[in-house]
Amino acid sequence: MPESSHSVSSSESQTDTRLLTCVLLWLSAASWLLSWPSINLWPMCILWAALIVRASIGARSWLWLTVWTIIPYSLSWGWLLRWSIDVTGPGYPAMVAYSAAWMVLFVLLFRRVHRCGVTASIPLAVLAPILWVGLEYLRAEWFLGAWPWYLAGLQLIEWPLVCQIADLGGVWMVGLLLLCVGGALAEWFRPRPRRRQALISTVLAALFCLCAVAYGLFSFTAQQESSLGRFLIVQTNIKASNKVAATYEQQLVDASQFMKMSIEGLREAGGADLIIWPETMLPDIGFDPATTRDILEQSPGWGRPFQTRIEEAVVHLDTPMLVGTSTWADGIDRSILESEGQFVPTNRYNSAVLILPDGGLDSYHKIFPTPFGERLPWIDAWPWLREKMLDFGGPGILLELDAGPEPTVLDLPRLEDDPLVLITPICFEATVPSVTRSLFRSGSGVSSPDLIVNLTNDGWFGDIDGGRSSHAQAARFRCIELRAPMIRCANTGQSGLFDSSGRLVASLPSREGGVLLAEPMGDSRRTLYVLVGNLVPVSCLLFAVLSCLLTLKSARSE
């Protein structure tokens, strides 16, 4: 039967035995696992892409394909996500099953679309990347809040040269590149390759790779600009999250230790323009004046030991500080105070607060609380269900934080120049492309931001450094997409400096306290991604939807 017919013939598309399909899927799942930290054999991601595409097109039945995708990929995801057991033991199997389900969805969709007469003649190097990126965009940015970790192509940040295309269309461009190469290899892995399609796929993949390398070389030749300043990164080492586990007295001890590290680090560095603490490392209620006023009205003897020490230290050191803290904002809820006699804030935010020596304060409140960690997507609309989920989720789940009112930038004053414009995505936000882009664009009215400062608390990962590395791996792509250097300040690590090409400049060892002086270099380039956003994955998603509709129409006609 010719390739232009309504369906691909059984001799062409159903040639694999069940054993071969099983072996291919086990090998693809193993390659997927090996490509990620902490094993980090990142070139294995190319083999993964080829194997999963090859297994999809050759499977004899959708049921067999489903079973032998879900089993090995559940094991792979189970290993990658094992850090979540201590955070939410009951939620761990749900996270694993959910992540593996997206693999199943891809292989079934790909098998179906590839067998449709309308799309059967499309080379695998074109069809595979478009369908994968379209589905991955749903997972990463939309469905159940967002789950943007472990995107295909993130592994390639270890070879930054080919990742520079991310400033054109986002991290999605690197996913397209990886699946394009995998699709081309899969063409040749057929028992009887369709030579014409295989050659077209190979040429397309080779051109894509050459263009990515050429663009990377061109990007690396960008002229180095002047230093943005000297920044002292304070990496704390609180193993269990201080949000939940530590007593008030222990928090006082920890904060004193952080301040001692800051003072000693500042002395050894010979001064800095800004001292940076990680997410939530300053306990208590934050710096909101309305809330402080309301509490003092009811309890005149109430003190602010954490905030007072920070404010005094900033004045004494004559050095601004950027600290992660929880903020009680917009005053106390009077109705709860009158009915229950308790202080409950009107809003509670996860915040980055800039404290200046002249007494000035500026704050950014996290606009995208972590799904299922700080909020429950969809479920929050039903309070009774929310409470049951909270009881089920485990001790690491905190659902008491509100989303910040709007994306904002922070201005760091400089003596002989315009203020340095910072964006400060907190924790999970730095892994969501659209969120960090929205922060970057919020400063475009005056001048584009100069520096990304990512505050995060990675104590949740316990002794599993692979989770920390994967978190940092995803965040690094924001440097390329926005052409801005990033300072990452993380409790338990990985803290460090990445340049505007996503390359690691300096870092501290994980699970150790320490300080690092970072001197990022400016980059005035503006990117196409900032302008068009997620146009690439949206286009892929639309193609995937259209393909599904065409397969349904084709099935009815047959």
Side-chain angles (χ1 to χ4, degrees):
M1 183 180 294
E3 291 182 4
S4 60
S5 62
H6 282 293
S7 62
V8 181
S9 69
S10 60
S11 63
E12 288 278 17
S13 64
Q14 299 182 6
T15 55
D16 292 348
T17 64
R18 288 182 170 87
L19 177 60
L20 179 56
T21 298
C22 176
V23 170
L24 288 172
L25 289 168
W26 274 97
L27 289 175
S28 71
S31 302
W32 175 260
L33 174 63
L34 293 173
S35 69
W36 295 106
S38 54
I39 303 172
N40 209 27
L41 298 177
W42 62 266
M44 294 294 290
C45 68
I46 301 172
L47 180 60
W48 159 78
L51 289 172
I52 196 170
V53 171
R54 173 63 184 82
S56 302
I57 62 175
R60 287 183 178 270
S61 74
W62 67 267
L63 181 59
W64 192 257
L65 183 62
T66 300
V67 170
W68 290 111
T69 301
I70 198 71
I71 292 175
Y73 275 101
S74 292
L75 294 175
S76 293
W77 279 105
W79 179 260
L80 292 173
L81 299 176
R82 68 195 187 282
W83 52 264
S84 67
I85 296 174
D86 292 336
V87 181
T88 170
Y92 166 69
M95 287 183 65
V96 170
Y98 175 74
S99 300
W102 284 97
M103 299 295 193
V104 176
L105 184 59
F106 169 74
V107 296
L108 292 179
L109 175 64
F110 188 76
R111 178 179 182 271
R112 179 68 182 174
V113 173
H114 175 65
R115 290 164 183 262
C116 174
V118 180
T119 53
S121 61
I122 299 177
L124 298 184
V126 176
L127 190 61
I130 293 177
L131 292 182
W132 177 271
V133 169
L135 287 179
E136 202 163 53
Y137 175 61
L138 278 181
R139 170 171 80 85
E141 293 262 9
W142 288 101
F143 202 71
L144 291 182
W147 178 219
W149 292 23
Y150 303 103
L151 302 182
L154 290 181
Q155 308 98 315
L156 294 178
I157 195 64
E158 306 301 331
W159 187 19
L161 179 68
V162 299
C163 295
Q164 302 309 303
I165 54 175
D167 75 355
L168 300 175
V171 63
W172 322 104
M173 293 292 293
V174 185
L176 288 174
L177 174 64
L178 175 59
L179 269 294
C180 179
V181 174
L185 291 174
E187 294 274 18
W188 295 105
F189 288 173
R190 295 175 188 263
R192 291 183 295 276
R194 301 175 187 174
R195 183 165 295 277
R196 180 173 176 273
Q197 283 195 354
L199 288 174
I200 292 174
S201 285
T202 301
V203 170
L204 290 175
L207 287 175
F208 201 166
C209 290
L210 287 173
C211 290
V213 170
Y215 189 76
L217 292 171
F218 171 76
S219 299
F220 285 171
T221 60
Q223 184 177 358
Q224 287 285 330
E225 301 181 15
S226 60
S227 171
L228 296 177
R230 295 160 55 86
F231 300 83
L232 189 72
I233 304 170
V234 180
Q235 177 172 295
T236 54
N237 188 34
I238 306 299
K239 294 184 179 180
S241 171
N242 70 324
K243 296 180 182 177
V244 177
T247 64
Y248 185 81
E249 291 74 18
Q250 184 60 50
Q251 289 176 338
L252 282 172
V253 173
D254 290 340
S256 297
Q257 177 62 27
F258 305 157
M259 183 56 67
K260 181 180 178 182
M261 293 168 61
S262 304
I263 294 172
E264 292 178 353
L266 193 66
R267 184 183 305 116
E268 292 175 3
D273 299 304
L274 181 67
I275 300 171
I276 306 172
W277 284 15
E279 176 195 13
T280 68
M281 286 302 110
L282 182 67
D284 217 355
I285 68 167
F287 296 85
D288 182 64
T291 304
T292 301
R293 182 191 63 242
D294 286 356
I295 295 177
L296 287 174
E297 286 178 358
Q298 303 296 323
S299 301
W302 175 72
R304 306 165 60 244
F306 298 102
Q307 291 76 15
T308 300
R309 289 184 186 183
I310 289 289
E311 291 167 343
E312 291 175 348
V314 166
V315 173
H316 175 71
L317 298 172
D318 194 28
T319 305
M321 291 186 68
L322 179 66
V323 299
T325 188
S326 176
T327 295
W328 288 24
D330 307 316
I332 296 299
D333 189 318
R334 297 287 180 173
S335 61
I336 297 179
L337 179 62
E338 292 172 1
S339 62
E340 302 179 17
Q342 296 181 353
F343 290 140
V344 176
T346 302
N347 290 292
R348 182 170 181 174
Y349 300 126
N350 188 348
S351 306
V353 180
L354 179 64
I355 306 107
L356 302 175
D358 63 4
L361 289 171
D362 201 359
S363 299
Y364 162 69
H365 305 306
K366 188 176 183 181
I367 61 173
F368 195 84
T370 304
F372 298 97
E374 296 171 333
R375 65 185 175 101
L376 286 173
W378 303 348
I379 297 171
D380 278 336
W382 293 278
W384 63 272
L385 183 58
R386 180 181 183 275
E387 292 303 317
K388 289 186 178 296
M389 288 293 294
L390 182 58
D391 293 338
F392 174 80
I397 303 299
L398 298 173
L399 300 173
E400 55 199 13
L401 297 178
D402 299 296
E406 60 182 358
T408 56
V409 300
L410 302 180
D411 292 333
L412 178 65
R414 293 187 287 186
L415 290 178
E416 299 179 357
D417 207 341
D418 294 333
L420 194 70
V421 183
L422 315 177
I423 62 169
T424 53
I426 297 173
C427 191
F428 186 83
E429 289 184 315
T431 67
V432 186
S434 62
V435 172
T436 312
R437 174 177 172 266
S438 71
L439 294 176
F440 195 86
R441 287 171 61 87
S442 70
S444 61
V446 180
S447 60
S448 295
D450 304 291
L451 178 64
I452 307 169
V453 182
N454 177 210
L455 309 184
T456 184
N457 180 359
D458 284 0
W460 303 106
F461 295 114
D463 296 330
I464 301 174
D465 288 335
R468 292 183 180 84
S469 298
S470 295
H471 194 185
Q473 193 177 62
R476 289 169 66 178
F477 273 90
R478 309 294 86 78
C479 300
I480 305 172
E481 290 169 349
L482 307 176
R483 286 301 174 197
M486 174 186 287
I487 289 175
R488 213 167 170 270
C489 185
N491 175 46
T492 73
Q494 182 188 26
S495 297
L497 170 63
F498 302 97
D499 69 10
S500 59
S501 296
R503 295 173 292 192
L504 177 64
V505 178
S507 66
L508 290 167
S510 295
R511 289 184 284 147
E512 295 180 15
V515 296
L516 175 68
L517 184 68
E519 298 186 61
M521 305 298 291
D523 191 333
S524 60
R525 289 177 291 176
R526 293 299 168 254
T527 72
L528 183 61
Y529 177 74
V530 172
L531 179 65
V532 303
N534 287 331
L535 179 62
V536 168
V538 169
S539 301
C540 293
L541 178 59
L542 292 175
F543 178 88
V545 172
L546 179 61
S547 298
C548 289
L549 295 176
L550 289 174
T551 61
L552 292 175
K553 182 178 179 181
S554 176
R556 290 195 188 98
S557 65
E558 291 175 10

